[in-house]
mmCIF file of all heavy atoms in Angstrom:
data_model
loop_
_atom_site.group_PDB
_atom_site.id
_atom_site.type_symbol
_atom_site.label_atom_id
_atom_site.label_comp_id
_atom_site.label_asym_id
_atom_site.label_seq_id
_atom_site.Cartn_x
_atom_site.Cartn_y
_atom_site.Cartn_z
ATOM 1 N N CYS A 25 78.477 -5.178 14.817
ATOM 2 C CA CYS A 25 78.295 -4.202 13.742
ATOM 3 C C CYS A 25 76.788 -3.903 13.557
ATOM 4 O O CYS A 25 75.965 -4.593 14.060
ATOM 5 C CB CYS A 25 78.893 -4.727 12.482
ATOM 6 S SG CYS A 25 78.087 -6.224 11.742
ATOM 7 N N GLY A 26 76.513 -2.943 12.806
ATOM 8 C CA GLY A 26 75.141 -2.529 12.486
ATOM 9 C C GLY A 26 74.940 -1.091 12.153
ATOM 10 O O GLY A 26 75.897 -0.277 11.726
ATOM 11 N N GLY A 27 73.800 -0.537 12.605
ATOM 12 C CA GLY A 27 73.567 0.874 12.335
ATOM 13 C C GLY A 27 72.541 1.397 13.143
ATOM 14 O O GLY A 27 71.606 0.603 13.704
ATOM 15 N N ALA A 28 72.437 2.727 13.325
ATOM 16 C CA ALA A 28 71.437 3.408 14.175
ATOM 17 C C ALA A 28 71.226 4.854 13.728
ATOM 18 O O ALA A 28 72.198 5.517 13.413
ATOM 19 C CB ALA A 28 71.884 3.407 15.599
ATOM 20 N N ASP A 29 70.004 5.280 13.706
ATOM 21 C CA ASP A 29 69.690 6.567 13.499
ATOM 22 C C ASP A 29 68.242 6.960 14.113
ATOM 23 O O ASP A 29 67.422 6.052 14.124
ATOM 24 C CB ASP A 29 69.577 6.967 11.958
ATOM 25 C CG ASP A 29 70.928 7.717 11.525
ATOM 26 O OD1 ASP A 29 71.584 8.265 12.313
ATOM 27 O OD2 ASP A 29 71.240 7.462 10.359
ATOM 28 N N GLU A 30 68.118 8.170 14.414
ATOM 29 C CA GLU A 30 66.889 8.716 15.049
ATOM 30 C C GLU A 30 66.187 9.788 14.169
ATOM 31 O O GLU A 30 66.865 10.321 13.263
ATOM 32 C CB GLU A 30 67.214 9.346 16.464
ATOM 33 C CG GLU A 30 68.065 10.542 16.227
ATOM 34 C CD GLU A 30 68.682 10.975 17.654
ATOM 35 O OE1 GLU A 30 69.686 10.318 17.953
ATOM 36 O OE2 GLU A 30 68.150 11.900 18.270
ATOM 37 N N ILE A 31 65.013 10.086 14.396
ATOM 38 C CA ILE A 31 64.308 11.097 13.687
ATOM 39 C C ILE A 31 64.915 12.416 14.051
ATOM 40 O O ILE A 31 65.097 12.706 15.231
ATOM 41 C CB ILE A 31 62.863 11.214 14.034
ATOM 42 C CG1 ILE A 31 62.079 9.934 13.581
ATOM 43 C CG2 ILE A 31 62.137 12.497 13.406
ATOM 44 C CD1 ILE A 31 61.989 9.790 12.094
ATOM 45 N N ASN A 32 65.260 13.286 13.116
ATOM 46 C CA ASN A 32 65.981 14.511 13.370
ATOM 47 C C ASN A 32 65.574 15.586 12.260
ATOM 48 O O ASN A 32 65.205 15.309 11.099
ATOM 49 C CB ASN A 32 67.559 14.223 13.233
ATOM 50 C CG ASN A 32 68.359 15.469 13.414
ATOM 51 O OD1 ASN A 32 68.633 16.205 12.499
ATOM 52 N ND2 ASN A 32 68.913 15.629 14.643
ATOM 53 N N LEU A 33 65.626 16.846 12.721
ATOM 54 C CA LEU A 33 65.259 17.970 11.820
ATOM 55 C C LEU A 33 65.890 18.067 10.552
ATOM 56 O O LEU A 33 65.238 18.333 9.492
ATOM 57 C CB LEU A 33 65.270 19.307 12.602
ATOM 58 C CG LEU A 33 64.733 20.508 11.818
ATOM 59 C CD1 LEU A 33 63.308 20.353 11.474
ATOM 60 C CD2 LEU A 33 64.959 21.767 12.583
ATOM 61 N N ILE A 34 67.242 17.818 10.567
ATOM 62 C CA ILE A 34 68.041 18.050 9.297
ATOM 63 C C ILE A 34 67.669 17.101 8.115
ATOM 64 O O ILE A 34 67.295 17.519 7.088
ATOM 65 C CB ILE A 34 69.500 18.037 9.704
ATOM 66 C CG1 ILE A 34 69.835 19.185 10.551
ATOM 67 C CG2 ILE A 34 70.322 18.088 8.331
ATOM 68 C CD1 ILE A 34 71.250 19.240 11.001
ATOM 69 N N PRO A 35 67.651 15.754 8.360
ATOM 70 C CA PRO A 35 67.105 14.920 7.369
ATOM 71 C C PRO A 35 65.669 15.082 7.058
ATOM 72 O O PRO A 35 65.193 15.002 5.868
ATOM 73 C CB PRO A 35 67.385 13.427 7.783
ATOM 74 C CG PRO A 35 67.670 13.584 9.206
ATOM 75 C CD PRO A 35 68.150 14.954 9.501
ATOM 76 N N TYR A 36 64.809 15.395 8.031
ATOM 77 C CA TYR A 36 63.426 15.669 7.854
ATOM 78 C C TYR A 36 63.214 16.725 6.881
ATOM 79 O O TYR A 36 62.452 16.575 5.811
ATOM 80 C CB TYR A 36 62.758 15.956 9.144
ATOM 81 C CG TYR A 36 61.232 16.176 9.097
ATOM 82 C CD1 TYR A 36 60.397 15.064 9.112
ATOM 83 C CD2 TYR A 36 60.771 17.504 9.115
ATOM 84 C CE1 TYR A 36 58.988 15.374 9.001
ATOM 85 C CE2 TYR A 36 59.426 17.696 9.088
ATOM 86 C CZ TYR A 36 58.508 16.608 9.021
ATOM 87 O OH TYR A 36 57.167 16.926 8.930
ATOM 88 N N ASP A 37 63.830 17.898 7.295
ATOM 89 C CA ASP A 37 63.641 19.023 6.305
ATOM 90 C C ASP A 37 64.435 18.792 4.982
ATOM 91 O O ASP A 37 64.024 19.285 3.858
ATOM 92 C CB ASP A 37 64.234 20.366 6.952
ATOM 93 C CG ASP A 37 63.202 21.016 7.774
ATOM 94 O OD1 ASP A 37 62.030 20.582 7.872
ATOM 95 O OD2 ASP A 37 63.526 22.055 8.489
ATOM 96 N N GLY A 38 65.540 18.174 5.071
ATOM 97 C CA GLY A 38 66.418 17.957 3.864
ATOM 98 C C GLY A 38 65.753 17.220 2.835
ATOM 99 O O GLY A 38 65.803 17.652 1.579
ATOM 100 N N PHE A 39 64.969 16.090 3.068
ATOM 101 C CA PHE A 39 64.265 15.422 2.061
ATOM 102 C C PHE A 39 63.157 16.172 1.507
ATOM 103 O O PHE A 39 62.695 16.096 0.309
ATOM 104 C CB PHE A 39 63.770 14.048 2.537
ATOM 105 C CG PHE A 39 64.953 13.008 2.633
ATOM 106 C CD1 PHE A 39 65.322 12.494 3.835
ATOM 107 C CD2 PHE A 39 65.599 12.600 1.461
ATOM 108 C CE1 PHE A 39 66.354 11.480 3.965
ATOM 109 C CE2 PHE A 39 66.570 11.654 1.610
ATOM 110 C CZ PHE A 39 66.987 11.143 2.755
ATOM 111 N N ILE A 40 62.467 16.996 2.387
ATOM 112 C CA ILE A 40 61.440 17.869 1.887
ATOM 113 C C ILE A 40 62.017 18.881 0.861
ATOM 114 O O ILE A 40 61.389 19.174 -0.243
ATOM 115 C CB ILE A 40 60.783 18.676 3.001
ATOM 116 C CG1 ILE A 40 60.034 17.625 3.969
ATOM 117 C CG2 ILE A 40 59.665 19.610 2.472
ATOM 118 C CD1 ILE A 40 59.557 18.313 5.296
ATOM 119 N N ARG A 41 63.164 19.522 1.158
ATOM 120 C CA ARG A 41 63.752 20.526 0.254
ATOM 121 C C ARG A 41 64.249 19.882 -0.981
ATOM 122 O O ARG A 41 64.271 20.531 -2.009
ATOM 123 C CB ARG A 41 64.868 21.184 0.951
ATOM 124 C CG ARG A 41 64.435 22.114 2.129
ATOM 125 C CD ARG A 41 65.504 22.699 2.838
ATOM 126 N NE ARG A 41 65.000 23.511 3.962
ATOM 127 C CZ ARG A 41 65.764 24.356 4.713
ATOM 128 N NH1 ARG A 41 67.069 24.388 4.421
ATOM 129 N NH2 ARG A 41 65.264 24.980 5.640
ATOM 130 N N LEU A 42 64.634 18.624 -1.039
ATOM 131 C CA LEU A 42 64.975 17.886 -2.236
ATOM 132 C C LEU A 42 63.749 17.459 -3.076
ATOM 133 O O LEU A 42 63.947 16.944 -4.063
ATOM 134 C CB LEU A 42 65.808 16.605 -1.843
ATOM 135 C CG LEU A 42 67.152 16.868 -1.346
ATOM 136 C CD1 LEU A 42 67.855 15.609 -0.876
ATOM 137 C CD2 LEU A 42 68.104 17.467 -2.448
ATOM 138 N N LEU A 43 62.498 17.697 -2.523
ATOM 139 C CA LEU A 43 61.283 17.484 -3.214
ATOM 140 C C LEU A 43 61.112 15.960 -3.430
ATOM 141 O O LEU A 43 60.505 15.433 -4.468
ATOM 142 C CB LEU A 43 61.228 18.127 -4.527
ATOM 143 C CG LEU A 43 61.400 19.670 -4.506
ATOM 144 C CD1 LEU A 43 61.308 20.242 -5.917
ATOM 145 C CD2 LEU A 43 60.373 20.332 -3.626
ATOM 146 N N ILE A 44 61.566 15.105 -2.458
ATOM 147 C CA ILE A 44 61.416 13.669 -2.551
ATOM 148 C C ILE A 44 60.792 13.125 -1.313
ATOM 149 O O ILE A 44 60.695 11.841 -1.141
ATOM 150 C CB ILE A 44 62.806 12.906 -2.866
ATOM 151 C CG1 ILE A 44 63.834 13.388 -1.819
ATOM 152 C CG2 ILE A 44 63.282 13.197 -4.271
ATOM 153 C CD1 ILE A 44 65.041 12.548 -1.955
ATOM 154 N N ALA A 45 60.187 13.912 -0.379
ATOM 155 C CA ALA A 45 59.408 13.443 0.802
ATOM 156 C C ALA A 45 58.053 13.304 0.291
ATOM 157 O O ALA A 45 57.438 14.071 -0.418
ATOM 158 C CB ALA A 45 59.643 14.376 1.831
ATOM 159 N N SER A 46 57.357 12.269 0.923
ATOM 160 C CA SER A 46 56.000 11.944 0.643
ATOM 161 C C SER A 46 55.148 12.212 1.784
ATOM 162 O O SER A 46 55.468 11.959 3.003
ATOM 163 C CB SER A 46 55.792 10.451 0.307
ATOM 164 O OG SER A 46 54.450 10.124 0.086
ATOM 165 N N LYS A 47 53.968 12.840 1.561
ATOM 166 C CA LYS A 47 52.913 13.135 2.653
ATOM 167 C C LYS A 47 52.037 11.771 2.914
ATOM 168 O O LYS A 47 51.317 11.758 3.944
ATOM 169 C CB LYS A 47 52.085 14.113 2.290
ATOM 170 C CG LYS A 47 52.726 15.558 2.159
ATOM 171 C CD LYS A 47 51.766 16.617 1.766
ATOM 172 C CE LYS A 47 52.469 18.017 1.578
ATOM 173 N NZ LYS A 47 51.579 19.093 1.131
ATOM 174 N N GLU A 48 52.263 10.778 2.159
ATOM 175 C CA GLU A 48 51.513 9.562 2.192
ATOM 176 C C GLU A 48 52.513 8.428 2.521
ATOM 177 O O GLU A 48 53.777 8.643 2.274
ATOM 178 C CB GLU A 48 50.719 9.300 0.996
ATOM 179 C CG GLU A 48 49.625 10.376 0.725
ATOM 180 C CD GLU A 48 48.950 10.037 -0.639
ATOM 181 O OE1 GLU A 48 49.405 9.175 -1.379
ATOM 182 O OE2 GLU A 48 48.034 10.773 -0.903
ATOM 183 N N ARG A 49 52.014 7.249 2.978
ATOM 184 C CA ARG A 49 52.879 6.173 3.163
ATOM 185 C C ARG A 49 53.544 5.725 1.857
ATOM 186 O O ARG A 49 52.848 5.650 0.789
ATOM 187 C CB ARG A 49 52.133 4.965 3.777
ATOM 188 C CG ARG A 49 52.913 3.889 4.287
ATOM 189 C CD ARG A 49 52.117 2.979 5.251
ATOM 190 N NE ARG A 49 52.827 1.725 5.676
ATOM 191 C CZ ARG A 49 52.342 0.941 6.606
ATOM 192 N NH1 ARG A 49 51.242 1.326 7.310
ATOM 193 N NH2 ARG A 49 53.018 -0.091 6.892
ATOM 194 N N CYS A 50 54.899 5.576 1.890
ATOM 195 C CA CYS A 50 55.725 5.372 0.663
ATOM 196 C C CYS A 50 55.190 4.057 -0.123
ATOM 197 O O CYS A 50 54.731 3.177 0.453
ATOM 198 C CB CYS A 50 57.164 5.288 0.944
ATOM 199 S SG CYS A 50 57.708 3.900 2.030
ATOM 200 N N ARG A 51 55.438 4.125 -1.441
ATOM 201 C CA ARG A 51 55.017 3.036 -2.415
ATOM 202 C C ARG A 51 56.165 2.638 -3.212
ATOM 203 O O ARG A 51 56.306 3.030 -4.333
ATOM 204 C CB ARG A 51 53.919 3.656 -3.248
ATOM 205 C CG ARG A 51 52.639 4.072 -2.466
ATOM 206 C CD ARG A 51 51.523 4.465 -3.329
ATOM 207 N NE ARG A 51 51.648 5.752 -4.093
ATOM 208 C CZ ARG A 51 51.374 6.964 -3.575
ATOM 209 N NH1 ARG A 51 50.869 6.897 -2.327
ATOM 210 N NH2 ARG A 51 51.523 7.990 -4.164
ATOM 211 N N PRO A 52 57.027 1.682 -2.606
ATOM 212 C CA PRO A 52 58.247 1.327 -3.413
ATOM 213 C C PRO A 52 57.926 0.701 -4.736
ATOM 214 O O PRO A 52 57.014 -0.201 -4.801
ATOM 215 C CB PRO A 52 58.906 0.249 -2.456
ATOM 216 C CG PRO A 52 58.453 0.653 -1.118
ATOM 217 C CD PRO A 52 56.992 1.199 -1.253
ATOM 218 N N PHE A 53 58.541 1.120 -5.733
ATOM 219 C CA PHE A 53 58.402 0.603 -7.133
ATOM 220 C C PHE A 53 57.139 0.748 -7.797
ATOM 221 O O PHE A 53 56.851 0.169 -8.787
ATOM 222 C CB PHE A 53 58.948 -0.820 -7.140
ATOM 223 C CG PHE A 53 60.345 -0.999 -6.714
ATOM 224 C CD1 PHE A 53 60.599 -1.641 -5.432
ATOM 225 C CD2 PHE A 53 61.388 -0.505 -7.426
ATOM 226 C CE1 PHE A 53 61.852 -1.669 -4.940
ATOM 227 C CE2 PHE A 53 62.725 -0.745 -6.908
ATOM 228 C CZ PHE A 53 62.966 -1.192 -5.651
ATOM 229 N N SER A 54 56.149 1.501 -7.144
ATOM 230 C CA SER A 54 54.803 1.727 -7.803
ATOM 231 C C SER A 54 54.977 2.807 -8.843
ATOM 232 O O SER A 54 55.749 3.760 -8.682
ATOM 233 C CB SER A 54 53.856 2.145 -6.745
ATOM 234 O OG SER A 54 53.527 1.097 -5.894
ATOM 235 N N LYS A 55 54.098 2.743 -9.844
ATOM 236 C CA LYS A 55 54.050 3.824 -10.866
ATOM 237 C C LYS A 55 53.716 5.050 -10.202
ATOM 238 O O LYS A 55 54.170 6.187 -10.714
ATOM 239 C CB LYS A 55 53.052 3.331 -11.895
ATOM 240 C CG LYS A 55 53.046 4.301 -13.139
ATOM 241 C CD LYS A 55 52.324 3.810 -14.318
ATOM 242 C CE LYS A 55 52.495 4.559 -15.557
ATOM 243 N NZ LYS A 55 51.869 3.905 -16.678
ATOM 244 N N ASP A 56 52.851 5.066 -9.239
ATOM 245 C CA ASP A 56 52.436 6.286 -8.575
ATOM 246 C C ASP A 56 53.244 6.630 -7.279
ATOM 247 O O ASP A 56 52.720 7.429 -6.498
ATOM 248 C CB ASP A 56 50.973 6.196 -8.220
ATOM 249 C CG ASP A 56 50.658 5.018 -7.281
ATOM 250 O OD1 ASP A 56 51.526 4.139 -7.011
ATOM 251 O OD2 ASP A 56 49.532 5.008 -6.798
ATOM 252 N N ARG A 57 54.371 6.219 -7.257
ATOM 253 C CA ARG A 57 55.307 6.453 -6.091
ATOM 254 C C ARG A 57 55.489 7.891 -5.952
ATOM 255 O O ARG A 57 55.642 8.608 -7.000
ATOM 256 C CB ARG A 57 56.632 5.663 -6.001
ATOM 257 C CG ARG A 57 57.479 5.937 -7.271
ATOM 258 C CD ARG A 57 58.589 5.010 -7.317
ATOM 259 N NE ARG A 57 59.577 5.271 -8.440
ATOM 260 C CZ ARG A 57 59.371 4.922 -9.667
ATOM 261 N NH1 ARG A 57 58.233 4.195 -10.023
ATOM 262 N NH2 ARG A 57 60.301 5.097 -10.608
ATOM 263 N N ALA A 58 55.424 8.432 -4.728
ATOM 264 C CA ALA A 58 55.583 9.916 -4.556
ATOM 265 C C ALA A 58 56.762 10.327 -3.718
ATOM 266 O O ALA A 58 56.893 11.496 -3.401
ATOM 267 C CB ALA A 58 54.150 10.363 -3.942
ATOM 268 N N GLY A 59 57.516 9.353 -3.158
ATOM 269 C CA GLY A 59 58.710 9.776 -2.413
ATOM 270 C C GLY A 59 58.871 9.075 -1.152
ATOM 271 O O GLY A 59 58.211 8.041 -0.834
ATOM 272 N N ILE A 60 59.839 9.653 -0.387
ATOM 273 C CA ILE A 60 60.348 8.939 0.810
ATOM 274 C C ILE A 60 59.619 9.349 2.066
ATOM 275 O O ILE A 60 59.093 10.379 2.331
ATOM 276 C CB ILE A 60 61.851 9.374 0.920
ATOM 277 C CG1 ILE A 60 62.692 8.753 -0.205
ATOM 278 C CG2 ILE A 60 62.511 8.968 2.307
ATOM 279 C CD1 ILE A 60 64.088 9.309 -0.227
ATOM 280 N N ASN A 61 59.569 8.419 3.013
ATOM 281 C CA ASN A 61 59.272 8.693 4.423
ATOM 282 C C ASN A 61 60.394 8.319 5.257
ATOM 283 O O ASN A 61 60.926 7.294 5.165
ATOM 284 C CB ASN A 61 58.090 7.797 4.934
ATOM 285 C CG ASN A 61 56.874 7.816 4.047
ATOM 286 O OD1 ASN A 61 56.341 6.757 3.718
ATOM 287 N ND2 ASN A 61 56.335 8.978 3.695
ATOM 288 N N ILE A 62 60.955 9.255 6.064
ATOM 289 C CA ILE A 62 62.063 8.877 6.891
ATOM 290 C C ILE A 62 61.579 7.995 8.017
ATOM 291 O O ILE A 62 60.431 8.154 8.486
ATOM 292 C CB ILE A 62 62.933 10.033 7.341
ATOM 293 C CG1 ILE A 62 62.118 11.001 8.221
ATOM 294 C CG2 ILE A 62 63.465 10.808 6.053
ATOM 295 C CD1 ILE A 62 63.035 11.929 8.927
ATOM 296 N N GLY A 63 62.476 7.313 8.695
ATOM 297 C CA GLY A 63 62.137 6.430 9.826
ATOM 298 C C GLY A 63 63.373 6.554 10.779
ATOM 299 O O GLY A 63 64.263 7.245 10.639
ATOM 300 N N GLU A 64 63.219 5.683 11.834
ATOM 301 C CA GLU A 64 64.252 5.632 12.789
ATOM 302 C C GLU A 64 64.379 4.178 13.322
ATOM 303 O O GLU A 64 63.440 3.367 13.231
ATOM 304 C CB GLU A 64 64.011 6.548 13.983
ATOM 305 C CG GLU A 64 62.860 6.296 14.787
ATOM 306 C CD GLU A 64 62.499 7.339 15.917
ATOM 307 O OE1 GLU A 64 63.401 8.206 16.022
ATOM 308 O OE2 GLU A 64 61.555 7.244 16.543
#
């Protein structure tokens, strides 16, 4: 069992359109957190 996913345009653009993608390295639980970085 487990999971697998690759970098793909749909989630890449999707998180940007949801206004939750970050242009900087993500900052979990920080007061200044700015959003998600997708990975693979």
